[in-house]
Amino acid sequence: MLQEQCLWNVTAPKTHHYDALTQDTQTSVCIIGGGYTGLSAAIHLAEKGVKVIVLESQTIGSGGSGKSVGLVNAGTWARPDDLNVALGETEGERLTEALGEAPGLVFDLIKRYGIDAQATQTGNLHMAHNAKGEADVDIRYEQLSRRGVNVEVLTGSRCHEYTGTTSINKALLDHRTGTINPLAYVNGLAEVAAKLGVTIHEHSAVHSLEKENSSWYVRTADANVKAERVIIATNAYTEGEWTEVSKTFYQVFYYQIASEPLTGELADRILPHRNGAWDTRLALSSFRRDKDDRLLLGTVGGRNCKPKEFYQSWANYVQKSYYPYLPAFNWQYEWYGKFGFTQDHIFRVLEPDEGILTATAYNGRGITTGTLMGKCFADYILTGDRASIPLPFKTIEESKIPLSSMKSGFTELGISLYHMGQCLKIIR
């Protein structure tokens, strides 16, 4: 029977728990949010002997870090040349280079600290689903290869072999990238941070953030943390009225569904090199296998105002479109997450006040961007060098998205109509 439960909670169950904050304390750096950004920052600061406290409103991995697809991708959704147009050539190239190195940072942390993240580093596939998509793949290949990136275009039988489907005739393989179990990774980061001396408190939601003299007071329902510096690392899961961070993006939801473990020669044809993949559709579909050989499909979209069978119908359509040779099987788990989105697909780096840092709107690239920005924030705090940050700082005011809730609603409506068109075979 199909269960509404995140697969990663089954395949990477939580083993470490952290007490809630119950007594006033002080630290050098207080980090709000125990996801990729917050824990990466905590690790890189603790490695240099800095005292750090992490406050997580629920539990480690309960936000986007524990619900993602697990694709360790490079770059942004925007193409490198487009970043140069948006940011200027110098800043665009700096961001492209930094995010190009981000998958390596993720895999290095996993290897260096022995995190059992079920990682593969065999590259991910951007699959062209039509002629327009094929043109996009060619453009991305030209722009990336011009910058010396290890990418290649797969066509014909080699493309069919890698993707496991004859419905795709061209795909971009990025050798820098791979997959992980995202919950195993974020739980592993927390364990590493704790071993390095970081104090982590779960079930410690922040209610207010106030400055007194030169110190910041991070207040929860039961106690306060006095800190010299604060990193807000809550992104799309920011809650409460204590910060305006959530006004700098609009929310986009993401759905995933996982099959029962598949066996046999036909199942082994799906992504046989253990690549992660996503297609070039306007409302993309993502594809991967997990360690138990389940087929995982994902797409943008939330649950509101949809019948229970809506996404199951979508998943059945996508599976038959790409992998019609599969024998009958059962879908086992389905779950939803969300991410912060911006129209230009570029995240924001903010310094809302002296001593406060935050980054928002990773546009679905949280594993790499979050891990990178955690390290960048640590480097900036340690050195004071703004060159540590791969984007110019923006203010909250210039980053605010007008009518963000309305944008989120209209995006969801458009996505729903697109999926209906797929299921009715109006859109191919």
Side-chain angles (χ1 to χ4, degrees):
M1 178 181 292
L2 181 62
Q3 304 175 51
E4 187 172 331
Q5 180 178 5
C6 180
L7 169 68
W8 312 126
N9 290 320
V10 177
T11 57
K14 187 175 174 63
T15 57
H16 288 69
H17 300 273
Y18 307 93
D19 294 336
L21 179 70
T22 56
Q23 295 183 344
D24 290 353
T25 186
Q26 64 181 51
T27 188
S28 295
V29 180
C30 181
I31 297 173
I32 305 170
Y36 306 130
T37 305
L39 293 171
S40 173
I43 288 170
H44 287 98
L45 287 167
E47 286 176 334
K48 300 299 183 181
V50 177
K51 186 178 180 182
V52 179
I53 291 176
V54 174
L55 301 179
E56 166 56 46
S57 65
Q58 298 183 43
T59 59
I60 299 298
S62 61
S65 297
K67 296 182 175 69
S68 80
V69 179
L71 301 185
V72 185
N73 281 329
T76 71
W77 289 110
R79 299 184 294 222
D81 286 2
D82 295 336
L83 288 181
N84 289 2
V85 171
L87 299 171
E89 186 168 351
T90 299
E91 296 296 344
E93 291 297 329
R94 192 158 72 99
L95 182 60
T96 294
E97 181 179 358
L99 290 175
E101 295 172 353
L105 175 62
V106 171
F107 291 121
D108 175 68
L109 279 171
I110 289 170
K111 292 172 185 175
R112 182 151 49 99
Y113 287 108
I115 299 173
D116 183 12
Q118 301 160 24
T120 69
Q121 198 172 356
T122 53
N124 290 336
L125 297 161
H126 195 183
M127 307 192 313
H129 78 288
N130 61 13
K132 183 178 179 181
E134 291 182 359
D136 180 62
V137 162
D138 288 336
I139 293 169
R140 289 177 185 274
Y141 171 76
E142 187 280 324
Q143 293 185 11
L144 290 168
S145 59
R146 183 177 2 119
R147 291 168 170 84
V149 177
N150 186 12
V151 290
E152 62 177 310
V153 174
L154 308 180
T155 58
S157 61
R158 192 154 181 259
C159 178
H160 299 160
E161 182 228 329
Y162 265 77
T163 61
T165 176
T166 56
S167 298
I168 299 295
N169 294 307
K170 181 176 286 188
L172 183 69
L173 174 60
D174 188 335
H175 291 282
R176 301 169 294 178
T177 60
T179 68
I180 57 172
N181 180 316
L183 182 59
Y185 175 56
V186 75
N187 280 335
L189 290 178
E191 292 169 28
V192 170
K195 288 177 182 176
L196 290 171
V198 174
T199 302
I200 300 174
H201 293 291
E202 295 180 314
H203 303 292
S204 300
V206 173
H207 288 188
S208 67
L209 181 59
E210 300 171 4
K211 191 172 186 178
E212 293 184 15
N213 298 320
S214 60
S215 298
W216 287 98
Y217 287 82
V218 187
R219 307 190 190 280
T220 71
D222 300 313
N224 307 317
V225 177
K226 179 182 178 182
E228 299 167 21
R229 307 291 291 268
V230 176
I231 297 174
I232 302 173
T234 49
N235 201 5
Y237 286 77
T238 303
E239 297 177 346
E241 300 300 322
W242 56 273
T243 176
E244 293 190 303
V245 163
S246 60
K247 296 179 181 179
T248 65
F249 57 83
Y250 59 99
Q251 291 183 341
V252 173
F253 293 86
Y254 204 87
Y255 170 84
Q256 292 183 77
I257 190 168
S259 73
E260 61 188 346
L262 303 177
T263 59
E265 183 179 347
L266 293 178
D268 288 342
R269 285 172 56 186
I270 302 172
L271 300 167
H273 300 282
R274 298 285 172 172
N275 312 101
W278 73 101
D279 62 22
T280 54
R281 293 182 184 276
L282 182 62
L284 66 85
S285 303
S286 62
F287 311 82
R288 62 165 296 186
R289 291 163 67 176
D290 78 339
K291 69 179 184 68
D292 298 316
D293 288 329
R294 293 176 178 88
L295 169 64
L296 277 66
L297 302 181
T299 190
V300 284
R303 77 180 81 194
N304 287 348
C305 302
K306 298 184 183 70
K308 183 175 177 58
E309 299 79 13
F310 183 88
Y311 284 112
Q312 295 171 46
S313 298
W314 167 85
N316 289 333
Y317 165 79
V318 171
Q319 181 259 307
K320 289 298 182 185
S321 296
Y322 286 102
Y323 311 113
Y325 53 80
L326 278 179
F329 63 86
N330 294 315
W331 296 111
Q332 197 170 30
Y333 301 104
E334 63 177 350
W335 67 101
Y336 300 83
K338 59 185 176 182
F339 57 89
F341 197 82
T342 54
Q343 207 66 47
D344 59 10
H345 309 302
I346 302 171
F347 66 97
R348 305 294 190 252
V349 183
L350 313 170
E351 198 170 24
D353 203 332
E354 185 178 358
I356 298 181
L357 296 169
T358 187
T360 67
Y362 292 157
N363 287 273
R365 297 289 176 97
I367 293 172
T368 42
T369 310
T371 303
L372 171 69
M373 287 312 303
K375 181 180 185 302
C376 291
F377 284 155
D379 290 343
Y380 179 53
I381 288 171
L382 290 164
T383 67
D385 183 3
R386 289 200 173 211
S388 303
I389 309 295
L391 274 175
F393 284 112
K394 287 184 174 289
T395 66
I396 292 279
E397 283 303 316
E398 64 185 335
S399 301
K400 283 182 180 178
I401 296 179
L403 305 173
S404 58
S405 296
M406 187 175 296
K407 283 183 182 292
S408 182
F410 278 122
T411 300
E412 180 65 28
L413 175 61
I415 289 167
S416 299
L417 292 173
Y418 188 95
H419 289 323
M420 288 177 62
Q422 284 183 280
C423 293
L424 295 172
K425 298 184 180 180
I426 299 171
I427 298 174
R428 296 184 182 276

